[in-house]
C-alpha cells in the first residue's frame, strides 16, 4: 500500500465569473522513502494540492489515502487528530508563533496530540537542525534560515509519516536552502515521505522524483 | 506543553490587549465592589447607630419611667378592695365604704405572693360628729402603717402612719377650728396630739381626721374590722383590673376590687407615652436610614448592570480583535493538528485569565474606593474598620463570576476562531 495514494482528485473554488478549477483529476502515489517534488508556476494548484493532502481543504471529488486512511472520511475532530499524528507541514513563510521561543515552537504540536518524550524529542530535533544555541530565542531574533530550520524541526516532532512542504526554500539563501533540503532528504531516507512543492530547480534536485503541474494537472 | 502555557506566553506578548481587557473587568468588578462595600458599610453603620440609639433610648426610658413612676405614685392608690357586700351605689354617694371586713384580710394578702398589687393600706372610714367641736360632722379614718408584701423588697411607705395618741386633720378643719400641729384636741372622749395638718386637697380629705386604726376601731366599736384596703397596682403589662380582681378573689373571695380609673389612666398613659416616644424616635431613624439605603441601592441597580454589560461588550470586541489579529496563527494551529475545541479553549482560557486578573484587581480597587467613599460620606465611622467591610461571599462571587462573564463575552469570537477555515489563510500566504 502506497503511503500517499491520490486518485482523480479535483478541487474547484467557486467564484462569481465561474468556478476556478485548481485541481483537475490529479492522481499520484508516493511510498515510504519517497521525496517527491511538484514543480509548476504560481497559481497552478500546487498549494491546493498540498492543503488537500494535509486534510485542510476538502476536495470537490476524488480519493485521498494517507497510509491507508482516508482523511476526509473522518470527522473534523478526528481528522485534526490524524493530522497531528501523521503529517508535518513546512511553509514558505515559516509561520512560527512569535511569542514562543524555538524550543516552545518545536514543542507546540505536542499540545495538539501527545508525543512520547516530547521535550527530549524537541531538544534532539533542535540540535539536529543546528539550533541548540538558539533554543531560548524567539523567532524575531532568528535569521530566516534559522526560522525555517525551527519550522522543520516543529514539523518533525510528532514523527510524521508524511512531510508536506510548500516552497520551504522560497525565502532562503542557497546555503540555508541546502541545509533545509538536506534535512528533508534525510527524513525521506529514514522512511518518511516528502511532498515538496517548489518552483526552484535547485530544490527539486533533492527530490527522488519530480512531477510537473500546470493548470491543475500533473504531468511526469 | 499545555494550552495555558501558550495562553500565558501570548498574554506576555500582547500586553496592551491584555491590559485593556483587564481594565474593562477592573472597572466593572471595581464598581460593583465599591458600591457593595459602601452599602455594606452603610448597613453596618446603621446597625451600629441603631444599637447605640436603642441602648440610649432604653436607658432614657428606664430613667423616664422611674421618674414617671415616682411622679404617678404621688397620685396615690388606684385599687380599692372592699367587702363583697358593699353596695357600690352607697359607696359612691357616701364617699366611703360602710360594709366591714376583717383586718386579717391584709395579712392574708401579705402572706400570698400577690403580683398585681403593692402598698396595701387598710382603713376604717366612718362619718361621725365631733362632739367636742360643736358636733361638727367629720370623717374619721383609722389607718396604720402599710403592710409589706412578704415576697417583695420593702419599699418606702406612701403614707406616713399615724401613731397611737396622734391625730392628723384636714385643712378645712384646721382653718375652721383654728387647730394647728402640736395642739392637743379631744375626740370622742380621747385626747390626741395633732401630728400633721394636711394641705388642701379639694375633696373629703379636707374634713377628715386620721387616727391610728386600732384607736379608730375602739372608738367606733369595730374591733378587728376595716372597710377598705387601698392598694397600688403594679405597672405590669397585662395587669388590668380584671387580672387584679381575679388574683384577689382567689385569695379573698369575700371581697371586691374597684379601680380608681382617672388615676390609673393618667399613670398608665404617662408611663406608656415615654416608651411610645422612644419607639417612634428609633423607628424614625431606622426609616431614614432605610430610605438612604434604598436610594443607593436604586443607584447601584442601574449603574452596576450598565457597567457589566459595557464590560461584556468590551471584552467581546477585544477578543474579536485578538482573533482577527491571530488569523494566521489559528491557521498554523489547525495545520499542526489542533482541534477546533482546542482553539476555542485557547481564547476562552485567555478570557478567563483576563477575568480573574481583572476581578482580583477590581476587587482590591473597588474595596479601596468603597472604603474611602464610605468614609467620605461618614458611613464608615465609629467602630467599623476596613476589615468589617470585607464581604467574603462578594469576593468569592466576583472571583468566580468575572472569569465566567469574560468567558461568555469571548465565546462568540472564540467560536469564530475555532470555525475559521485554515486553508483560506494558508493558501493566501
Amino acid at each position: 500500500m502506497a503511503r500517499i495514494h491520490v486518485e482523480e482528485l479535483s478541487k474547484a473554488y467557486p467564484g462569481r465569473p465561474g468556478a476556478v478549477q485548481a485541481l483537475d483529476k490529479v492522481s499520484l502515489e508516493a511510498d515510504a522513502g519517497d521525496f517527491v517534488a511538484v514543480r509548476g508556476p504560481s497559481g497552478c494548484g500546487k498549494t491546493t494540492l498540498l492543503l488537500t493532502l494535509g486534510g485542510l481543504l476538502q476536495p470537490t471529488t476524488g480519493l485521498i489515502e494517507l497510509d491507508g486512511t482516508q482523511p476526509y472520511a473522518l470527522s473534523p475532530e478526528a481528522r485534526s487528530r490524524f493530522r497531528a499524528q501523521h503529517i508535518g507541514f513546512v511553509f514558505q513563510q515559516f509561520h512560527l508563533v512569535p511569542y514562543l521561543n524555538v524550543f516552545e515552537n518545536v514543542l507546540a504540536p505536542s499540545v495538539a496530540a501527545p508525543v512520547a518524550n516530547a521535550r527530549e524529542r524537541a531538544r534532539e530535533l533542535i540540535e539536529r537542525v543546528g539550533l541548540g544555541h538558539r533554543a531560548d530565542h524567539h523567532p524575531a531574533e532568528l535569521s530566516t534560515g534559522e526560522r525555517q530550520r525551527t519550522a522543520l524541526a516543529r514539523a518533525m516532532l510528532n514523527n510524521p509519516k508524511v512531510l508536506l512542504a510548500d516552497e520551504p526554500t522560497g525565502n532562503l539563501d542557497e546555503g540555508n536552502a541546502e541545509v533545509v533540503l538536506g534535512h528533508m532528504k534525510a527524513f525521506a531516507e529514514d522512511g518518511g515521505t516528502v511532498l515538496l512543492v517548489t518552483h526552484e530547480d535547485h530544490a527539486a534536485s533533492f527530490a527522488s522524483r519530480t512531477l510537473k503541474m500546470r493548470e491543475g494537472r500533473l504531468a511526469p | 506543553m499545555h494550552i495555558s502555557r501558550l495562553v500565558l506566553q501570548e498574554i506576555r506578548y500582547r500586553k496592551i490587549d491584555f491590559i485593556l481587557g483587564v481594565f474593562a473587568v477592573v472597572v466593572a468588578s471595581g464598581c460593583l465592589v465599591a458600591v457593595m462595600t459602601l452599602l455594606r458599610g452603610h448597613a453596618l453603620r446603621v446597625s451600629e447607630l441603631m444599637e447605640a440609639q436603642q441602648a440610649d433610648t432604653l436607658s432614657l426610658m428606664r430613667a423616664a419611667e422611674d421618674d414617671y413612676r415616682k411622679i404617678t405614685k404621688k397620685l396615690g392608690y388606684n385599687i380599692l378592695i372592699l367587702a363583697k357586700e358593699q353596695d357600690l351605689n352607697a359607696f359612691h354617694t357616701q364617699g366611703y365604704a360602710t360594709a366591714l371586713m376583717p383586718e386579717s384580710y391584709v395579712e392574708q394578702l401579705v402572706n400570698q405572693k400577690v403580683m398585681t398589687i403593692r402598698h396595701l393600706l387598710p382603713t376604717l372610714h366612718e362619718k361621725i360628729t365631733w362632739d367636742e367641736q360643736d358636733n361638727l360632722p367629720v370623717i374619721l379614718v383609722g389607718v396604720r402603717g402599710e403592710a409589706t408584701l412578704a415576697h417583695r423588697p420593702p419599699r418606702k411607705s406612701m403614707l406616713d402612719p399615724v401613731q397611737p395618741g396622734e391625730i392628723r386633720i384636714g385643712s378645712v378643719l384646721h382653718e375652721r377650728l383654728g387647730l394647728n400641729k402640736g395642739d392637743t384636741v379631744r375626740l370622742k372622749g380621747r385626747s390626741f396630739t395633732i401630728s400633721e395638718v394636711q394641705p388642701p386637697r379639694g375633696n373629703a380629705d379636707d374634713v377628715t381626721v386620721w387616727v391610728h386604726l386600732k384607736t379608730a376601731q375602739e372608738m367606733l366599736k369595730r374591733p378587728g374590722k376595716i372597710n377598705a384596703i387601698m392598694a397600688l397596682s403594679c405597672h405590669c403589662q397585662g395587669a388590668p383590673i380584671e387580672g387584679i380582681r381575679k388574683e384577689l378573689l382567689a385569695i379573698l373571695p369575700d371581697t371586691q376590687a374597684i379601680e380608681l380609673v382617672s388615676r390609673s389612666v393618667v399613670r398608665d398613659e404617662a408611663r406608656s407615652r415615654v416608651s411610645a416616644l422612644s419607639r417612634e424616635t428609633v423607628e424614625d431613624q431606622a426609616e431614614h436610614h432605610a430610605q438612604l439605603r434604598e436610594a443607593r441601592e436604586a443607584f447601584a441597580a442601574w449603574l452596576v448592570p450598565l457597567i457589566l454589560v459595557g464590560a461584556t461588550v468590551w471584552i467581546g470586541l477585544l477578543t474579536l480583535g485578538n482573533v482577527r489579529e491571530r488569523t494566521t496563527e489559528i491557521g498554523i494551529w489547525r495545520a499542526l493538528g489542533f482541534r477546533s475545541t482546542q482553539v476555542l479553549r485557547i481564547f476562552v482560557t485567555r478570557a478567563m485569565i483576563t477575568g480573574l486578573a481583572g476581578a482580583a484587581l477590581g476587587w482590591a480597587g473597588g474595596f479601596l474606593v468603597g472604603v474611602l467613599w464610605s468614609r467620605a460620606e461618614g458611613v464608615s465611622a465609629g467602630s467599623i474598620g476596613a476589615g468589617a467591610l470585607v464581604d467574603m461571599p462578594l469576593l468569592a462571587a466576583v472571583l468566580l463570576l468575572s472569569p465566567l462573564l469574560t468567558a461568555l463575552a469571548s465565546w462568540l469570537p472564540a467560536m469564530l476562531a475555532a470555525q475559521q477555515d485554515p486553508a483560506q489563510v494558508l493558501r493566501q500566504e
Side-chain angles (χ1 to χ4, degrees), chain A residues 34-168:
Chain A
D34 278 354
F35 188 154
V36 180
V38 178
R39 293 187 62 195
S42 295
C44 70
K46 301 189 299 290
T47 299
T48 298
L49 175 64
L50 215 65
L51 296 175
T52 311
L53 284 174
L56 289 167
L57 188 61
Q58 177 99 36
T60 311
T61 59
L63 174 73
I64 296 173
E65 276 187 5
L66 295 175
D67 207 26
T69 300
Q70 294 180 33
Y72 293 101
L74 302 172
S75 69
E77 293 291 287
R79 191 158 64 240
S80 292
R81 202 171 287 116
F82 176 81
R83 187 163 55 244
Q85 289 167 343
H86 299 285
I87 300 170
F89 272 102
V90 181
F91 301 94
Q92 182 179 359
Q93 300 297 335
F94 329 123
H95 290 320
L96 296 176
V97 180
Y99 50 83
L100 299 181
N101 62 28
V102 168
F103 177 72
E104 289 166 336
N105 261 292
V106 174
L107 199 56
S110 68
V111 178
V115 175
N117 302 318
R119 299 178 75 84
E120 288 72 22
R121 168 96 178 133
R123 284 201 183 87
E124 178 203 322
L125 286 167
I126 290 167
E127 289 294 336
R128 196 190 295 175
V129 297
L131 292 175
H133 63 296
R134 294 290 208 178
D136 295 330
H137 288 235
H138 284 78
E141 299 164 330
L142 303 176
S143 69
T144 51
E146 287 170 332
R147 289 179 201 176
Q148 193 59 296
R149 278 184 276 159
T150 303
L152 184 63
R154 180 180 67 184
M156 293 193 293
L157 181 85
N158 55 355
N159 292 303
K161 291 181 175 169
V162 176
L163 189 63
L164 301 173
D166 187 4
E167 303 277 9

Side-chain angles (χ1 to χ4, degrees), chain A residues 13 48 51 56-57 77 80-81 83-84 89 91 93 95 97-100 104 107-112 154, chain B residues 1 3 5-6 9-10 13 326 328-329 332-342 422-423 426-427 429:
Chain A
Y13 294 111
T48 298
L51 296 175
L56 289 167
L57 188 61
E77 293 291 287
S80 292
R81 202 171 287 116
R83 187 163 55 244
F89 272 102
F91 301 94
Q93 300 297 335
H95 290 320
V97 180
Y99 50 83
L100 299 181
E104 289 166 336
L107 199 56
S110 68
V111 178
R154 180 180 67 184
Chain B
M1 191 151 69
I3 279 181
R5 173 77 181 162
L6 293 180
Q9 293 291 70
E10 193 273 335
Y13 184 69
R326 297 168 70 184
T328 305
E329 186 188 321
I332 297 302
W333 293 132
R334 298 305 306 276
L336 292 177
F338 278 56
R339 297 182 293 284
S340 56
T341 49
Q342 288 178 308
L426 297 173
R427 205 157 53 87
E429 293 288 324

Side-chain angles (χ1 to χ4, degrees), chain B residues 149-188:
Chain B
L149 292 165
H151 64 286
R152 291 183 185 279
R155 289 171 182 269
K156 186 178 182 302
S157 172
M158 285 175 62
L159 187 70
D160 292 331
V162 183
Q163 301 300 322
E166 290 182 349
I167 190 168
R168 186 182 299 158
I169 62 171
S171 61
V172 170
L173 299 177
H174 151 71
E175 286 173 9
R176 181 167 177 168
L177 304 174
L179 299 174
N180 293 301
K181 184 177 177 181
D183 290 352
T184 299
V185 292
R186 293 189 67 79
L187 175 64
K188 296 286 183 187

Side-chain angles (χ1 to χ4, degrees), chain B residues 10 14 17-18 20-21 311-330 343-344 346-348 350-351 354 406-420:
Chain B
E10 193 273 335
R14 294 189 178 92
D17 281 9
F18 180 71
L20 285 173
T312 305
V313 172
W314 189 349
I315 293 288
L317 290 174
L318 284 172
T319 309
L320 185 63
N322 189 252
V323 167
R324 286 191 170 163
E325 194 180 351
R326 297 168 70 184
T327 303
T328 305
E329 186 188 321
I330 295 164
V343 174
L344 183 75
I346 288 174
F347 286 94
V348 172
R350 184 186 196 277
T354 306
T406 49
L408 281 175
S410 66
W411 191 263
L412 197 61
M415 284 293 286
L416 288 176
Q419 300 303 322
Q420 183 181 293

